[in-house]
Amino acid sequence: MDPRINGFDYRRVTVADGVTLNAAVGGSGPAIVLLHGFPQTHLMWRHVAADLAADHTVICPDLRGYGDSDKPLDSRALPGRLDP
């Protein structure tokens, strides 16, 4: 399976604290954001997104920690962490 949605552009979007998310964006018109669940990635929407892109701007991000988006820091490496 191709790890991209055919006909969509891919962008890196910077959000809070410098974290970047991978997002597939395609189509034009009113925006629709499609969010995946656990343990999926934006690719779960590949068939639906292509159809919706005919009339909408479709945005399919990988949520933090999934796909090509930034992963959370290892909490064990944080200063001041108390181990049980």
Side-chain angles (χ1 to χ4, degrees):
M1 174 175 55
D2 184 9
R4 299 175 66 83
I5 300 175
N6 192 30
F8 276 55
D9 294 323
Y10 279 76
R11 302 179 187 168
R12 299 288 296 173
V13 180
T14 302
V15 295
D17 299 324
V19 172
T20 60
L21 301 181
N22 177 60
V25 181
S28 63
I32 297 177
V33 179
L34 302 176
L35 300 176
H36 64 80
F38 173 82
Q40 303 292 328
T41 67
H42 76 283
L43 290 173
M44 73 172 287
W45 296 111
R46 65 190 175 280
H47 302 297
V48 175
D51 289 341
L52 288 171
D55 299 312
H56 298 84
T57 298
V58 181
I59 305 161
C60 302
D62 282 330
L63 299 178
R64 185 175 184 186
Y66 295 88
D68 289 331
S69 290
D70 286 352
K71 311 303 185 251
L73 293 173
D74 183 348
S75 64
R76 294 171 292 190
L78 296 175
R81 175 175 152 72
L82 299 175
D83 289 320

